[in-house]
Amino acid sequence: MERQWFVIAFALSLLVLGVLVTFGFTAFIRTIIDHQVALRVGGQSFGWWSRPPVEPIIRIFVYNVTNADEFLNNGTKPILDELGPYVYVQTWEKVNIKENPNGTISYNQKRVYIFNEDLSGGLEDDVVIVPNIPMLSATSQSKHAARFLRLAMASIMDILKIKPFVEVSVGQLLWGYEDPLLKLAKDVVPKEQKLPYEEFGLMYGKNSTSKDTVTVWTGVDDINQYGIIDKYNGRSHQTHWLTEQCNRLNGTDGSIFPPRITKNSTLRVYEKDLCRLLPLSFEKEVTVRGGVKGYRFTPSPDVFASVEKNPENMCYCPAGPPCAPHGLFNVSLCQYDSPILLSFPHFYMADQSLRTAVEGISPPEKDKHQLFIDVQPDMGTALRARARIQINLAVSQVVDIKQVANFPDIVFPILWFEEGIDSLPDEILDLMKVATTIPPRAKFILTIALFGLGGFLFVVAVICLVRKSHRQSTLHLEGSNYLATASVDQAKKKAKMDNGMSSKSN
């Protein structure tokens, strides 16, 4: 009897464990993952974060102007020839890392770009004709200045022989070349108003350690803050835009996000060149190399929408109206007042009149021109990414400056690029697959085993207990019947003896 009760107690213990596994196993695994993911100095995730074991690639496509003279003299449409890609393999490293007592960590980003001729469709020495961005920026800024200043600027450009288009190599366009206007500004502009560079290049100064100090939350104290920017150069907010919400910096760098991402989550990436957070929404489920499941997040169609189509974007138009056309984002406030407008490549998700204002740009294609990040939702790690942006120059006609008197108001495409990674190393993907697929299977097997074995033992023990009780009852009844029969037999025997004795006495 005691054995059956012991089995029942053991079976109930297994059933209780089954309940705990059903409702607590997932939370237990999440706690382990959160602990491993958080940025702890010396930890594995910290090593991957500080020196990513990937080689991001940037592909650059330059729009070469093939009819610059006809465009200026005859007012014909500019004809563009898309050259490239010019491919650079990168190495990323976070340097000057410093732990802070409030659960954050500060660093500077170091990037090294190495030109890869084998992957490229041209050489850095390829000569291209592109708009003279320093000159056109200066003339556009002078549009509302006093007339004598515009005339003086025209005279200076005459003397320096500055033209609206320049002929430079791709390498010079990207990494810098000496510009007469910048050189002049270095000598005549007051020190406090000088530009922080002496040459002009669209990627000038990026092939080095950034001077920007970024401070992010480690996630050790609160995993929901993991990877989110706390300060950028000591500031928690930008100062360019009209509202506190639009000036926020509380996004990530796009490589990591807080864990447990859902399809309803909005990912926010801070991009310095945009000077704002870029919100990303769920688009679809994806599978990357190695069978790891992920979610694809992309910008919503209204992220660069005109204020007429998305009134919330009014906060990004401090000088307007008029504001940027639909599909363009004005970054002049954080690009030293240069009239730079960013868009997606080939004016994807923008007003198509921008594309048809020039010749040579094919209609946009989602697969080629969409920006996206594929994220592992449980761990918040980027699996694959494509940051695709086009740089455009907003040119204004200024009649008093003869060099650009025939230059119409136009958004002139300069180049576009895509930067990102195709996949993480097998070592990381294998760990992700184990961390995301083994626990659910283990939970299922443990649940079935605990409930199955516990239920089986409980039923068997109860059956044995019932049978044993029934057997004891039967034996008790048989014993009682035997005693009753014996009593009857003895009574009969006694009666018979009494009758015999009576007969003898008679």
Side-chain angles (χ1 to χ4, degrees):
M1 182 74 72
E2 292 181 358
R3 182 181 299 175
Q4 282 77 16
W5 284 113
F6 173 79
V7 173
I8 288 175
F10 180 68
L12 290 175
S13 299
L14 292 179
L15 293 174
V16 170
L17 283 175
V19 173
L20 292 176
V21 167
T22 301
F23 296 101
F25 187 82
T26 300
F28 174 70
I29 294 298
R30 283 180 174 176
T31 301
I32 294 176
I33 291 177
D34 291 350
H35 184 272
Q36 294 298 320
V37 164
L39 297 176
R40 290 179 169 84
V41 176
Q44 192 173 43
S45 63
F46 180 86
W48 290 338
W49 170 81
S50 61
R51 192 177 178 87
V54 294
E55 291 187 334
I57 291 178
I58 182 170
R59 299 175 178 87
I60 301 170
F61 300 83
V62 179
Y63 293 117
N64 179 46
V65 184
T66 62
N67 68 332
D69 291 337
E70 291 83 356
F71 167 71
L72 286 174
N73 298 326
N74 303 325
T76 59
K77 277 187 181 183
I79 300 175
L80 309 181
D81 182 20
E82 184 177 293
L83 304 180
Y86 298 94
V87 180
Y88 293 84
V89 179
Q90 305 175 59
T91 56
W92 293 352
E93 183 180 3
K94 294 174 177 66
V95 297
N96 305 324
I97 297 175
K98 177 186 175 183
E99 287 186 275
N100 302 311
N102 65 339
T104 63
I105 195 164
S106 301
Y107 65 91
N108 297 91
Q109 182 71 51
K110 179 181 179 181
R111 296 193 180 198
V112 177
Y113 294 80
I114 300 174
F115 182 70
N116 190 306
E117 184 178 337
D118 294 334
L119 297 178
S120 298
L123 301 175
E124 282 188 303
D125 295 333
D126 290 349
V127 175
V128 294
I129 297 174
V130 294
N132 188 335
I133 297 177
M135 173 198 178
L136 295 174
S137 297
T139 58
S140 295
Q141 291 171 20
S142 70
K143 187 173 184 177
H144 301 290
R147 185 170 184 269
F148 78 91
L149 290 177
R150 295 197 295 271
L151 293 174
M153 182 177 291
S155 298
I156 292 173
M157 291 179 180
D158 252 347
I159 296 172
L160 297 177
K161 297 181 180 180
I162 298 175
K163 297 180 179 180
F165 290 92
V166 292
E167 189 175 292
V168 293
S169 71
V170 170
Q172 289 176 318
L173 176 65
L174 297 178
W175 307 111
Y177 63 90
E178 190 176 88
D179 180 79
L181 275 182
L182 292 181
K183 187 177 180 180
L184 178 64
K186 177 184 176 183
D187 297 328
V188 300
V189 173
K191 184 177 180 180
E192 62 275 7
Q193 297 179 9
K194 286 184 178 180
L195 297 176
Y197 48 81
E198 299 178 1
E199 296 183 333
F200 173 78
L202 291 172
M203 297 181 66
Y204 182 80
K206 290 190 175 183
N207 198 355
S208 62
T209 299
S210 173
K211 295 180 181 179
D212 297 315
T213 300
V214 186
T215 303
V216 301
W217 295 98
T218 63
V220 172
D221 299 324
D222 182 2
I223 198 63
N224 293 319
Q225 294 290 99
Y226 168 69
I228 293 178
I229 295 173
D230 175 47
K231 298 281 195 315
Y232 200 93
N233 289 328
R235 299 194 307 266
S236 62
H237 288 73
Q238 284 281 15
T239 57
H240 306 301
W241 315 122
L242 296 177
T243 65
E244 184 272 341
Q245 183 175 357
C246 290
N247 278 315
R248 289 179 183 175
L249 299 174
N250 58 333
T252 76
D253 65 356
S255 64
I256 56 176
F257 299 92
R260 297 190 289 280
I261 295 169
T262 69
K263 295 178 181 179
N264 295 321
S265 299
T266 298
L267 306 186
R268 292 176 173 84
V269 178
Y270 178 72
E271 176 53 53
K272 179 189 174 182
D273 292 332
L274 282 173
C275 301
R276 60 166 284 186
L277 293 176
L278 186 66
L280 306 176
S281 303
F282 173 81
E283 182 187 11
K284 63 180 180 179
E285 295 184 10
V286 295
T287 302
V288 302
R289 184 168 57 86
V292 178
K293 304 288 186 181
Y295 291 168
R296 174 162 295 183
F297 283 79
T298 62
S300 62
D302 63 355
V303 66
F304 293 158
S306 62
V307 294
E308 291 78 17
K309 295 185 178 181
N310 183 11
E312 293 183 1
N313 282 345
M314 186 63 202
C315 68
Y316 296 115
C317 185
C323 302
H326 182 71
L328 298 176
F329 186 71
N330 188 346
V331 294
S332 59
L333 284 178
C334 54
Q335 296 295 333
Y336 310 104
D337 287 330
S338 181
I340 298 294
L341 301 177
L342 300 183
S343 69
F344 297 117
H346 287 217
F347 297 109
Y348 175 65
M349 293 199 301
D351 191 329
Q352 291 308 301
S353 64
L354 297 167
R355 180 178 59 83
T356 56
V358 299
E359 293 185 11
I361 298 182
S362 61
E365 300 178 40
K366 180 179 178 180
D367 291 341
K368 293 182 179 180
H369 304 128
Q370 181 190 48
L371 184 152
F372 70 84
I373 299 178
D374 294 340
V375 182
Q376 205 294 314
D378 298 313
M379 304 180 73
T381 303
L383 302 170
R384 181 171 54 196
R386 286 288 186 279
R388 292 163 169 157
I389 293 292
Q390 180 169 292
I391 300 175
N392 312 282
L393 183 69
V395 182
S396 297
Q397 185 180 45
V398 184
V399 177
D400 294 322
I401 300 177
K402 63 181 182 180
Q403 289 85 352
V404 293
N406 296 327
F407 214 121
D409 291 349
I410 186 174
V411 176
F412 217 106
I414 307 298
L415 63 77
W416 71 273
F417 65 87
E418 65 170 16
E419 182 178 23
I421 57 173
D422 292 319
S423 179
L424 296 177
D426 291 338
E427 174 191 6
I428 299 178
L429 290 177
D430 290 343
L431 284 175
M432 282 187 178
K433 193 170 184 180
V434 169
T436 56
T437 59
I438 297 301
R441 294 177 184 175
K443 176 184 176 180
F444 176 77
I445 293 172
L446 278 173
T447 302
I448 296 299
L450 290 171
F451 278 118
L453 181 59
F456 174 76
L457 291 176
F458 181 80
V459 171
V460 170
V462 169
I463 291 174
C464 290
L465 194 63
V466 169
R467 285 182 175 178
K468 188 169 184 180
S469 298
H470 179 71
R471 189 180 301 115
Q472 289 179 346
S473 298
T474 302
L475 290 175
H476 178 73
L477 288 174
E478 288 178 351
S480 299
N481 291 337
Y482 173 77
L483 290 175
T485 303
S487 298
V488 170
D489 290 343
Q490 287 181 356
K492 288 182 178 180
K493 189 175 181 179
K494 183 177 180 181
K496 188 175 182 180
M497 290 178 64
D498 290 340
N499 291 333
M501 293 177 64
S502 298
S503 301
K504 287 181 179 180
S505 58
N506 291 330

